Amino acid sequence: PPTQEEVVKVIDTATGKVKLLIQLMRWSGMAIGDSIFREKNKLEGNLIRGNRRKTDERFRVRIPQWLADALPSFTDDINWKSPVHYWEKQLRQVFKDAGVNMKPHHFRHFRITELLSSGVRVEDVALMVGTSPQEIRKTYQHWIRETEDRLDEQQKKEFLSQGLDENGNQVIQ
């Protein structure tokens, strides 16, 4: 996924509706095709409910209120017939202008890794972004904090069972 600095640089470079789309993708983890609000997606306050375009899996995600308040200006004017590649082209131009090597889908990866590394449960992230827990585990295993913490505890126990301290050092008596 991109770094926080790269995401900020892209956001700072973007303007208008493209900036709103980028913010939506950044905060929701939605793919570009899902971010372009379709009739299936419902905005209730700052909660978005819908189905993924690619898999038809349900998603449910909260976005910042300021972004939810700004979305009607994006969705009211959007040309619903604009293909996804139109918006991809707009985003790629922003990436180029920002000097960042990114693709639109990287916002999804960024948000998912951000959630996982902050300790949000895999099952909850899966529900937020509309994918299976198995897919999250397969793709993002190294970002799942609960797994990292569990593995650390197991390794400490293993050291202790061998008569070492929890860091694997010889215990001097």
Side-chain angles (χ1 to χ4, degrees):
T3 64
Q4 177 76 27
E5 293 76 25
E6 289 171 322
V7 169
V8 167
K9 195 171 183 180
V10 168
I11 291 169
D12 289 346
T13 301
T15 60
K17 295 195 182 311
V18 176
K19 186 170 191 155
L20 275 176
L21 176 60
I22 287 170
Q23 292 278 25
L24 178 58
M25 292 168 63
R26 181 266 178 266
W27 285 105
S28 69
M30 293 164 61
I32 189 169
D34 301 322
S35 297
I36 301 170
F37 262 52
R38 302 173 305 146
E39 301 79 32
K40 283 184 171 182
N41 296 350
K42 304 248 184 297
L43 179 64
E44 303 164 359
N46 67 336
L47 174 68
I48 302 172
R49 296 176 192 265
N51 289 63
R52 292 224 36 227
R53 195 178 91 158
K54 181 178 174 183
T55 62
D56 205 38
E57 288 201 50
R58 301 274 307 143
F59 65 85
R60 178 194 186 283
V61 64
R62 288 201 181 275
I63 58 173
Q65 189 62 54
W66 61 264
L67 180 55
D69 292 343
L71 280 182
S73 70
F74 176 71
T75 58
D76 288 350
D77 291 347
I78 195 169
N79 177 353
W80 293 100
K81 305 229 186 280
S82 294
V84 170
H85 65 80
Y86 166 82
W87 292 101
E88 286 177 343
K89 184 178 176 184
Q90 302 297 313
L91 292 172
R92 288 180 198 280
Q93 185 60 53
V94 172
F95 300 150
K96 183 178 177 184
D97 293 346
V100 174
N101 185 17
M102 275 181 64
K103 295 179 181 172
H105 201 69
H106 288 161
F107 288 111
R108 182 170 175 80
H109 293 302
F110 177 80
R111 185 62 178 154
I112 291 170
T113 58
E114 186 176 55
L115 291 166
L116 292 170
S117 64
S118 70
V120 178
R121 291 181 47 234
V122 170
E123 291 75 13
D124 294 335
V125 173
L127 290 170
M128 288 179 202
V129 301
T131 194
S132 70
Q134 295 81 6
E135 188 64 30
I136 294 283
R137 283 188 182 88
K138 182 175 96 178
T139 307
Y140 301 95
Q141 185 66 46
H142 56 288
W143 291 101
I144 301 171
R145 193 168 95 191
E146 68 186 63
T147 301
E148 293 291 317
D149 293 346
R150 190 183 73 250
L151 289 174
D152 285 344
E153 285 306 309
Q154 288 300 320
Q155 290 168 348
K156 286 176 185 178
K157 286 179 185 177
E158 174 60 21
F159 285 146
L160 293 171
S161 74
Q162 293 180 27
L164 305 170
D165 71 11
E166 66 178 27
N167 295 314
N169 299 313
Q170 295 261 344
V171 178
I172 300 172
Q173 297 184 15

